[in-house]
Amino acid sequence: MPALLEAKGLTAGYGAAPVLHGLDFEVEEGGVTALLGANGAGKTTTLRAVCGMVRTTGEIRLGGQSIAGRATEDIARLGLAHVPDGRGTFMELTVEENFRLGAYVRRDREVQADFERMWEWFPRLRQRWRQQAGTLSGGEQQMLAIARALLLRPRLLLLDEPSFGLAPLIVQEIFAIMRRIREESGVGILLVEQNANLALELADRAYLLETGRIVVAGPAAELREDEAIRRSYLGY
Amino acid sequence: MSATDRIALPLRRPATALAAWQRSALVLAGLAAALAPLWLLESFHLFQLTMAVIMALAVLGLNIVTGYNGQISLGHGAFFAVGAYATAILMSHLDWSFWATLPVSAVVCGLIGYGVGFPALRLGGLYLALTTFSLAVAVPQILKHKSIEGWTGGVQGLFLVKPDPPAFLPLTPDQWMYCMALIVSSVCFLLAWNLIRGRIGRALMATRDHPIAAEAMGMDIAALKTQAFAVSAMITGLAGSLSAVAVEYVAPDSFSFALSINLFVGMVVGGVASILGSLFGGLFVLFVPNIAEAISKAAPGVIYGVILIAFLFLLPDGFAGLLRRLAARLRRASP
Amino acid sequence: MDGLAHQIVAGIATGGIYAAVSLALVMIYQATHHVNFAQGEMATLSTFIAWSMIEAGIPYWVAFFATIAISFVIGAAVERLLMRPVQNAPVLTHVGVFIGLLLIVGNATGWIFGYTTKLFPTPFESDKPLLGGLVSAHELGSTAVTLAVLSLVYLFFRHTRLGLAMRAAAYNPRSARLVGIRVGWMLALGWGLAAAIGAVAGMMVAPVVFLDPTMMLGILLYAFAGALLGGIDNPSGAVIGGFAVGVLENLAGAYVVGTELKLTVALAIIIGVLVVKPSGLFGRVVMSRV
């Protein structure tokens, strides 16, 4: 069976200067893949490349179907949800409207059921239902962003630093929810994270990026155990 | 040394150094080309050329504030009108000579420009465009108003007479008018050229392109912008003064919304932020509608619109930009 | 006192027209951060289209709805053909394209239909005086029509999936793409809607001011004033602003400056709002201080 997401020889960049130099990586069906690396290694660009927000060359396949060079909205419609840096919630709209937008492309009858599932996973969002997203706390906004992405019923979820700028307790809460998502929804996740420790706990595969190249790839458990990698790249 | 001196923005290529004799030859050739129409054209075409020179001056004024300083004005016809009326009122009510009215016209327009520049400071590009657009639409109505009818002549407007040439010059009034337009415009173009290629010009463009950086470097952006508005209004106002005597008549409907739009179109087609482009703009504004009008009354407007959009899409730096690129290609071809 | 009441009622009737055009302006402003200087000219063209249909013997309301549909298509086409190619260009380019559009549409209208003033029929006629002669049938009818249009637009944006998607695309195009919204089409749709609303305003005002190619220029000024007064990024504010400006204009015209300076009143409101409260009464602060 092919992997859910397969990238081969992926390059991408802004303007003339390439940021990624030929990446190969995969996300298994229902698996969690972590992309690690220092600031400026190209993690965010990788996510943007996958969902068509920057120009790319090379191959990207989602469930065997090529998505390279397609428009972001078409890629979303194929079942790829992205929680970008800066979260990508609609600040001016209410929580409810953000939910509805999350399910914008869906025509099935289970949207309401999915709303209820999100309320269960993120009870705080239910309390804020009619509030403007911009008035939510940082943690709540991150939860809203994840809920909004999941409401697409994606096959693959891209998460760009879900812990960014949040208090440690909130980060714990969000990762706990993500473990639950992983177990209950069967969605594949490509996770970019500064906090390597947390990411490797959640992930089953991991790639380490350095200046636009993959320098280490392997099962997350192995990376976590490898003393040398940990010291020289992950810094803990 | 002030802060602006230290900015090394690549705004203009250094002019290619010309030998002294080459420069004098160029100046002489230019002078000859400018004066030749005096003898080559009969009076109607000379009048048209006079108006083209005047429009070029008006476009130059607009270019200083919109092209070089990035404050979009769609209402420069208003300053043109103020200049024209200042001269007309002084000449017809108070019997001033034309030359004497010019400083007054310049000062009045400069002050009004300065006044408009103040609220403009607080407005982003679009709001200023919107306000000046409204100004352009409202101008004829204001000029017609009863309360100032005694001075402006209301809907009828004011009639005046072209000044006679000085006795020692063997010129007709039409020829002398052309000379006056040429003199005033040349002075303004030279002053503008000096202003733009120097420290102030760099500061104007820096506030247009990198306002935050410019402010961080200690430029007084508010002062720069209001002064740019004042200078711009002054130049366009002088063009208005010239036009009042050239046409020998001012009336509210000569300064309609269309005039402001024409100046804007002339600036874009001639070349935004280009001194030379303003000259082409003036020629364009005067001659293209004449040609188009042969087709239909509405045709100039439609053709104007099409040309404007075509330039924005294909030649956003206007005719002057096209010439610049052609010249650069020629230079490369023959080193 | 009757005079005052009449001025206010008449102000509300014209205010409805301004409100509609303000709303059209604000819709495009919200989606693209541009002010469509050609909005008035486009509405005039629509009104002429309606006029020629009515002249050809087509019943008023058929022509009315057909005009709305045609205007919608024209608006969407303008976005795709003219605005799309320059969407990343500087403000000056946009203003230039709008001015070009204004010149083309305005003069083409004159070219096709001529510059003579034309009578435009009103569907609302009554022999009996209404509300004790306070209001004409057309004033009442046109106010009802503009209010209906404004409510429909409101309901569309608040309660439909497409309306929500359009708002999302306007607020945050990048995120909108991520949830699968085709942002480019939303912009075209917005332009189409704006043109359709403008068409209604044109058809409602034409019986009052008579139809000629420059009919909307003054109205556009009032719509600017209304949009700015309400806050140019706030559709409901713009509607309220439009009505307020209508009443203000009528009162100023009747009691203060006379009818010769009506356009100047609009200019004064615009400058006044921008100097005193640039964000308008209900808008977010969008001042650029540099």
Side-chain angles (χ1 to χ4, degrees):
Chain A
M1 198 180 85
L4 172 63
L5 180 78
E6 258 181 307
K8 282 214 179 77
L10 179 66
T11 70
Y14 308 93
V19 175
L20 305 179
H21 310 273
L23 307 189
D24 300 322
F25 60 90
E26 289 183 2
V27 181
E28 293 294 325
E29 200 81 53
V32 177
T33 293
L35 285 179
L36 307 173
N39 277 335
K43 306 183 300 281
T44 295
T45 305
T46 307
L47 295 193
R48 288 186 184 159
V50 169
C51 72
M53 289 163 85
V54 291
R55 271 182 205 287
T56 61
T57 61
E59 217 178 291
I60 316 169
R61 291 178 175 279
L62 181 65
Q65 188 180 4
S66 172
I67 57 168
R70 302 188 66 163
T72 304
E73 50 265 49
D74 294 328
I75 295 173
R77 282 161 187 254
L78 289 171
L80 189 148
H82 182 186
V83 178
D85 56 328
R87 301 190 182 115
T89 47
F90 298 92
M91 300 288 192
E92 296 86 349
L93 302 177
T94 64
V95 171
E96 178 186 359
E97 286 168 329
N98 271 279
F99 265 53
R100 295 203 181 284
L101 285 167
Y104 173 73
V105 295
R106 286 174 56 186
R107 301 279 184 186
D108 58 278
R109 306 218 156 265
E110 288 164 38
V111 172
Q112 192 58 38
D114 278 0
F115 278 16
E116 278 156 28
R117 196 145 66 120
M118 292 305 138
W119 290 340
E120 191 198 322
W121 285 348
F122 308 100
R124 295 211 219 169
L125 294 182
R126 187 169 197 181
Q127 293 159 17
R128 305 262 183 265
W129 195 233
R130 303 226 174 260
Q131 225 166 296
Q132 267 200 351
T135 64
L136 267 52
S137 72
E140 289 164 347
Q141 287 196 24
Q142 190 61 58
M143 290 176 195
L144 177 60
I146 296 172
R148 187 221 82 211
L150 288 171
L151 282 166
L152 185 74
R153 276 224 176 160
R155 298 150 78 189
L156 177 66
L157 176 64
L158 310 186
L159 287 172
D160 199 344
E161 301 212 21
S163 74
F164 185 81
L166 301 180
L169 268 178
I170 307 284
V171 173
Q172 291 298 335
E173 197 180 331
I174 284 177
F175 271 80
I177 296 167
M178 287 189 353
R179 269 189 288 277
R180 224 177 137 187
I181 292 167
R182 185 190 172 169
E183 282 150 24
E184 293 179 26
S185 73
V187 61
I189 297 176
L190 180 58
L191 170 70
V192 159
E193 186 50 68
Q194 285 274 341
N195 188 331
N197 205 3
L198 272 174
L200 289 176
E201 245 171 62
L202 186 72
D204 39 39
R205 281 192 74 75
Y207 298 86
L208 190 64
L209 259 68
E210 206 180 54
T211 58
R213 288 188 177 79
I214 290 173
V215 287
V216 178
E222 270 178 33
L223 264 74
R224 208 164 48 207
E225 301 306 313
D226 193 316
E227 193 77 18
I229 291 173
R230 231 171 58 181
R231 271 222 205 97
S232 47
Y233 292 110
L234 306 179
Y236 67 90
Chain B
M1 190 170 92
S2 87
T4 47
D5 282 322
R6 269 174 266 135
I7 298 176
L9 294 168
L11 298 167
R12 274 264 182 286
R13 263 189 315 281
T16 16
L18 290 175
W21 70 269
Q22 277 174 317
R23 207 175 304 176
S24 346
L26 262 178
V27 169
L28 281 177
L31 209 60
L35 291 177
L38 277 177
W39 294 281
L40 295 178
L41 296 179
E42 32 77 36
S43 74
F44 176 67
H45 286 124
L46 189 62
F47 166 73
Q48 284 193 313
L49 195 62
T50 308
M51 287 310 290
V53 171
I54 292 170
M55 292 319 266
L57 185 60
V59 171
L60 174 72
L62 176 61
N63 228 333
I64 286 178
V65 78
T66 300
Y68 286 103
N69 198 218
Q71 305 189 71
I72 302 173
S73 168
L74 294 174
H76 254 52
F79 301 120
F80 194 87
V82 170
Y85 266 94
T87 289
I89 289 172
L90 290 174
M91 284 178 73
S92 72
H93 288 291
L94 306 174
D95 284 325
W96 284 33
S97 85
F98 170 66
W99 293 105
T101 68
L102 287 185
V104 179
S105 163
V107 168
V108 170
C109 290
L111 284 177
I112 293 181
Y114 200 69
V116 172
F118 262 109
L121 276 181
R122 301 184 53 180
L123 313 177
L126 210 57
Y127 289 83
L128 182 61
L130 200 150
T131 312
T132 48
F133 179 95
S134 310
L135 178 66
V137 176
V139 160
Q141 217 184 37
I142 300 173
L143 291 176
K144 280 177 201 165
H145 196 257
K146 284 195 300 288
S147 61
I148 49 172
E149 212 168 36
W151 290 102
T152 59
V155 185
Q156 265 75 44
L158 296 170
F159 290 87
L160 36 152
V161 180
K162 263 188 206 119
D164 282 324
F168 60 89
L169 281 175
L171 295 172
T172 66
D174 286 334
Q175 288 172 322
W176 175 234
M177 186 62 233
Y178 177 72
C179 291
M180 289 193 294
L182 214 55
I183 293 166
V184 175
S185 303
S186 310
V187 170
C188 289
F189 268 84
L190 278 176
L191 286 177
W193 189 61
N194 259 313
L195 190 81
I196 290 304
R197 64 188 205 123
R199 195 171 65 80
I200 295 171
R202 284 198 301 277
L204 285 178
M205 287 180 264
T207 45
R208 173 192 67 191
D209 301 330
H210 312 279
I212 294 168
E215 185 153 49
M217 291 177 138
M219 293 187 193
D220 186 348
I221 294 195
L224 262 172
K225 282 185 152 185
T226 42
Q227 283 160 15
F229 232 111
V231 171
S232 162
M234 203 183 280
I235 293 177
T236 302
L238 284 176
S241 292
L242 283 168
S243 94
V245 282
V247 184
E248 303 189 288
Y249 176 55
V250 292
D253 289 323
S254 327
F255 307 105
S256 68
F257 168 63
L259 171 65
S260 294
I261 297 303
N262 281 350
L263 295 180
F264 182 83
V265 176
M267 178 189 70
V268 171
V269 170
V272 174
S274 160
I275 300 269
L276 191 62
S278 309
L279 197 59
F280 297 129
L283 291 169
F284 174 86
V285 166
L286 200 86
F287 290 111
V288 170
N290 282 335
I291 300 163
E293 202 143 331
I295 305 173
S296 144
K297 185 190 169 198
V302 176
I303 292 171
Y304 245 57
V306 170
I307 292 179
L308 174 61
I309 290 181
F311 264 88
L312 288 168
F313 276 35
L314 306 171
L315 284 175
D317 49 359
F319 195 66
L322 180 70
L323 282 189
R324 209 158 37 229
R325 266 172 292 152
L326 283 178
R329 189 171 298 175
L330 279 178
R331 262 202 299 277
R332 265 202 307 277
S334 56
Chain C
M1 236 26 230
D2 240 23
L4 179 65
H6 179 77
Q7 290 302 336
I8 291 176
V9 171
I12 290 173
T14 36
I17 312 282
Y18 300 156
V21 182
S22 299
L23 178 65
L25 289 170
V26 167
M27 279 173 60
I28 289 182
Y29 180 83
Q30 267 201 312
T32 58
H33 288 263
H34 301 139
V35 169
N36 182 4
F37 289 101
Q39 194 81 59
E41 258 63 22
M42 288 168 67
T44 308
L45 175 63
S46 300
T47 314
F48 268 104
I49 293 172
W51 176 81
S52 24
M53 280 195 267
I54 295 168
E55 284 289 293
I58 295 172
Y60 182 92
W61 290 108
V62 176
F64 179 87
F65 287 107
T67 299
I68 292 178
I70 295 169
S71 307
F72 180 90
V73 173
I74 294 176
V78 165
E79 197 281 333
R80 307 280 328 180
L81 297 176
L82 285 184
M83 301 319 292
R84 184 66 47 89
V86 291
Q87 56 182 342
N88 298 319
V91 188
L92 184 64
T93 306
H94 288 121
V95 171
V97 171
F98 282 119
I99 294 297
L101 186 62
L102 177 152
L103 287 168
I104 294 172
V105 175
N107 290 289
T109 307
W111 202 349
I112 300 168
F113 299 100
Y115 286 92
T116 51
T117 304
K118 294 173 174 64
L119 287 174
F120 192 88
T122 171
F124 311 107
E125 287 192 76
S126 157
D127 299 330
K128 273 175 275 171
L130 298 158
L131 300 176
L134 201 58
V135 54
S136 75
H138 179 75
E139 281 171 348
L140 204 62
S142 78
T143 310
V145 168
T146 45
L147 282 177
V149 168
L150 298 174
S151 328
L152 276 178
V153 171
Y154 177 82
L155 291 175
F156 171 75
F157 278 112
R158 280 291 141 187
H159 295 292
T160 68
R161 177 173 168 273
L162 199 57
L164 178 60
M166 284 176 70
R167 282 194 288 148
Y171 283 132
N172 194 339
R174 214 175 73 137
S175 301
R177 285 198 182 90
L178 290 177
V179 296
I181 294 169
R182 301 197 193 282
V183 173
W185 280 109
M186 295 301 135
L187 291 183
L189 212 57
W191 267 80
L193 265 181
I197 297 170
V200 174
M203 288 186 281
M204 287 299 119
V205 82
V208 184
V209 299
F210 302 116
L211 181 56
D212 80 66
T214 58
M215 170 182 86
M216 292 299 276
L217 197 55
I219 291 167
L220 185 67
L221 242 55
Y222 280 101
F224 281 158
L228 288 173
L229 185 64
I232 194 152
D233 55 354
N234 182 332
S236 337
V239 168
I240 298 171
F243 276 106
V245 166
V247 174
L248 216 60
E249 174 220 351
N250 257 39
L251 292 180
Y255 300 111
V256 190
V257 293
T259 46
E260 296 104 343
L261 280 182
K262 280 200 161 189
L263 290 175
T264 316
V265 172
L267 179 65
I269 297 175
I270 290 171
I271 294 177
V273 171
L274 288 176
V275 170
V276 177
K277 201 168 187 310
S279 57
L281 295 177
F282 312 100
R284 283 173 297 165
V285 179
V286 280
M287 233 163 63
S288 90
R289 184 188 281 285
V290 155

